Amino acid sequence: MSGARGADPLSAAAGAVARPYDVEAVRRDFPILHQTVHGHPLVYLDNAATTHKPEQVLKALDDFYTGDNANIHRGVHELSQRATASYEAAREKIRGFLNAGAAREVLFVRGTTEAINLVAHSFAGPRLNEGDEILLTGMEHHSNIVPWQMVCEAKKAKLRVVPVNDRGELILEEYERLLGPKTRLVSAVHLSNALGTINPVKEMIGMAHRRGVPVMLDGAQAAARIPLDVRDLDCDFYAFSGHKLYGPTGIGVLYGKAEHLEAMPPYMGGGDMISSVTFEKTLYNKIPNKFEAGTPHVAGVIGLAAAVDYLEELSVAAVAAHEDDLLARATRAVAGIPGLRIVGTAQCKAGILSFVMEGIHPHDLGTVLDQQGIAVRAGHHCTQPLMERFGIPATARASFALYNTAGEVDTLVEGLSRVREVFA
C-alpha cells in the first residue's frame, strides 16, 4: 500500500484544495522540463535530491538582482530599504507557511544541515553532560546523525537509535522505551528521504514532552509534501531546505520556539548579529538576528518566499494528493516486474519509491535509465545505517514532485523493463 496518508494526523489538517489540479498547466511553469536527454524527453524523478524552479521563482531572483540588489538592514538608501522590506516580508511569509507564532521564531540558514548543526551546537551542546543521551531514529539522513555524533563526542554523551521494522516503519514501542531519564533531546526525520516513510511525529512529540524532552524535526522532504503547523505539532525545532521546495539552493529555514532561541548562544559571530561591540565585550542582537551573522542570502530568501507562494497557490494538500496518486500507480506497476523488490513499504508514506533489482547494481540501473532520459537517484541516499539495516549497499530511488505525470510513471516502468532486457 502506498500513499496511505489517512493515518497521518497532519493530513487531517490539510487545507481545502484551491482549484482542480492541472499538471500540464503546472509543467508550463518549469522551463527546464521541456528538453530532451540522450534523445528522449526528460523524465525527472530525482526530486528528493532537489526540485526544479518555476518561472515565478526565477523571476523573483531576476527582479531582485536587476532592480533591488543591496545589502539589508541599517542601509538608509532606497535600494537597501526595499531589499530589507522584501527580506523581512519573506520571513513573515515563512511564518505563515509553518503557522509559527511569531516571525522572530523563523531563522534563515543555508539549509537543513546547517539548521541541525545550529541546534546541536547551540541548544544541545551547552545542556549535555557525560552520560546524557540524544535519541535518533534508524532512518535518519547523515545530516541528522553526524552533528549529534560530534556534540556527543565533545560532551561524552551517547546516541541512542530507535529501530525500524521490515516495512521501514519506526517501532514506536521501542521509541517509548528508549525515552529515558538521561534523554536530553529527540531529533527525528518527518519523512524519510530513502523510504518515503512518514513518521507519527505528533505522537512522538507528545510522548517526549510528557518526559520533558524537547524534539527537533528534520522536514527536508516533508515541507513540500505535508501541510505544516508547528504549533499544532508542538515541536521545539523544525528545519527544511529551500531547494527541495522549488526554491533556490543555499537557503533554508530553522523554526525554533522563542523561549529556546532566546536562551541559546549564537552559533556564529559577525556583523548584524550584534547590538554593540567593544574590544572588551559584545552584546548580541535579539532573535532572529542573533543567529544570522554576516550578509545573508538575500536573493535566496526572496526566491524561497516566491516558491512558498507558488506551492500555496496550488495548495500543499492538492500537491500531496497528486503525488500520492503517482506513488500508488508506480507501486502497483513495478510490483509486476520480475526480480524487483520495493524497499520501504510503510503504511503511511509519500512521494518516494526505493527499490532494488535482483542481480543489477542500482548504479547500473540508474545509468541505463539515464540513457532513456529518465533521471532517478542511485546510492545509499546519505542513509548508510538504514541501508545496512536492510542488508543492501544502495537502492534506486524515484521521487515525485508536483510537475510529474502519470505518463512519466509509465515511462519509468517501461524503462525498468528495458533494464531487465539489458542485463538478462
Side-chain angles (χ1 to χ4, degrees):
M1 186 177 181
S2 65
R5 292 163 181 258
D8 178 22
L10 278 174
S11 290
V17 175
R19 54 187 167 81
Y21 197 83
D22 184 349
V23 68
E24 293 303 329
V26 169
R27 289 178 66 81
R28 287 194 288 274
D29 291 331
F30 291 82
I32 198 171
L33 298 177
H34 306 290
Q35 61 176 295
T36 59
V37 173
H38 304 305
H40 300 275
L42 170 64
V43 175
Y44 186 82
L45 300 175
D46 193 19
N47 298 288
T50 196
T51 55
H52 292 307
K53 324 307 173 193
E55 286 186 336
Q56 290 84 341
V57 170
L58 301 176
K59 183 176 185 303
L61 294 171
D62 186 62
D63 285 350
F64 172 72
Y65 280 123
T66 57
D68 295 335
N69 180 46
N71 211 333
I72 60 169
H73 300 153
R74 301 185 311 280
V76 296
H77 58 82
E78 174 64 20
L79 265 60
S80 179
Q81 295 287 319
R82 294 207 300 256
T84 299
S86 296
Y87 185 88
E88 295 303 334
R91 196 188 307 276
E92 174 59 26
K93 169 67 62 179
I94 303 301
R95 183 210 64 75
F97 179 66
L98 296 172
N99 196 31
R104 66 196 179 105
E105 295 179 314
V106 175
L107 311 183
F108 291 118
V109 292
R110 286 181 295 167
T112 305
T113 298
E114 184 179 1
I116 295 171
N117 274 274
L118 193 162
V119 175
H121 293 281
S122 287
F123 179 78
R127 292 166 172 77
L128 286 177
N129 293 304
E130 184 173 353
D132 287 344
E133 298 175 353
I134 300 288
L135 187 56
L136 310 179
T137 82
M139 64 182 81
E140 300 305 324
H141 189 284
H142 296 166
S143 64
N144 201 25
I145 299 174
V146 180
W148 305 111
Q149 287 177 329
M150 295 166 70
V151 73
C152 282
E153 183 177 359
K155 295 292 183 174
K156 297 182 179 179
K158 298 177 181 176
L159 278 187
R160 304 297 298 275
V161 181
V162 184
V164 299
N165 64 22
D166 291 342
R167 295 170 63 94
E169 298 165 322
L170 188 77
I171 301 176
L172 210 54
E173 295 78 10
E174 286 296 301
Y175 171 72
E176 186 166 30
R177 184 183 69 80
L178 288 168
L179 276 171
K182 295 183 179 179
T183 308
R184 294 293 173 262
L185 184 135
V186 172
S187 189
V189 67
H190 193 169
L191 194 166
S192 164
N193 73 304
L195 306 178
T197 304
I198 299 174
N199 280 321
V201 291
K202 187 171 182 179
E203 188 174 359
M204 293 168 66
I205 291 166
M207 293 164 73
H209 281 182
R210 285 192 287 276
R211 294 162 174 81
V213 177
V215 178
M216 172 164 197
L217 295 180
D218 169 0
Q221 299 296 333
R225 295 184 169 95
I226 297 174
L228 297 176
D229 186 336
V230 293
R231 281 190 285 181
D232 179 64
L233 286 172
D234 198 26
C235 58
D236 296 273
F237 299 97
Y238 197 98
F240 70 91
S241 299
H243 73 100
K244 296 179 190 291
L245 192 140
Y246 312 99
T249 54
I251 190 65
V253 168
L254 171 65
Y255 157 81
K257 289 182 176 177
E259 65 199 72
H260 295 323
L261 297 177
E262 286 170 346
M264 289 160 55
Y267 177 52
M268 295 190 297
D272 220 26
M273 52 76 71
I274 58 88
S275 61
S276 71
V277 177
T278 68
F279 280 111
E280 289 73 33
K281 184 176 178 58
T282 292
L283 297 178
Y284 303 129
N285 210 334
K286 298 178 180 177
I287 62 170
N289 307 82
K290 182 172 73 172
F291 294 100
E292 296 180 0
T295 298
H297 187 3
V298 182
V301 168
I302 292 168
L304 175 58
V308 168
D309 275 337
Y310 186 83
L311 190 58
E312 288 188 328
E313 184 177 347
L314 290 174
S315 139
V316 179
V319 169
H322 174 69
E323 292 185 18
D324 284 350
D325 288 343
L326 297 177
L327 179 60
R329 185 185 186 96
T331 302
R332 286 193 303 269
V334 302
I337 297 176
L340 186 145
R341 177 168 63 91
I342 296 172
V343 180
T345 55
Q347 196 167 26
C348 190
K349 63 181 290 189
I352 291 167
L353 184 69
S354 271
F355 53 91
V356 293
M357 291 183 81
E358 186 177 5
I360 305 173
H361 194 282
H363 286 176
D364 295 331
L365 187 156
T367 300
V368 175
L369 288 179
D370 175 62
Q371 291 302 309
Q372 302 172 72
I374 305 166
V376 299
R377 178 74 35 160
H380 53 61
H381 315 300
C382 293
T383 58
Q384 285 183 303
L386 183 61
M387 295 294 110
E388 185 176 349
R389 159 65 181 82
F390 282 96
I392 51 178
T395 72
R397 180 187 70 188
S399 49
F400 304 107
L402 50 77
Y403 40 66
N404 289 127
T405 68
E408 289 181 319
V409 171
D410 297 343
T411 300
L412 169 67
V413 175
E414 292 167 8
L416 291 171
S417 296
R418 173 62 180 153
V419 171
R420 276 248 64 97
E421 294 171 6
V422 169
F423 290 95

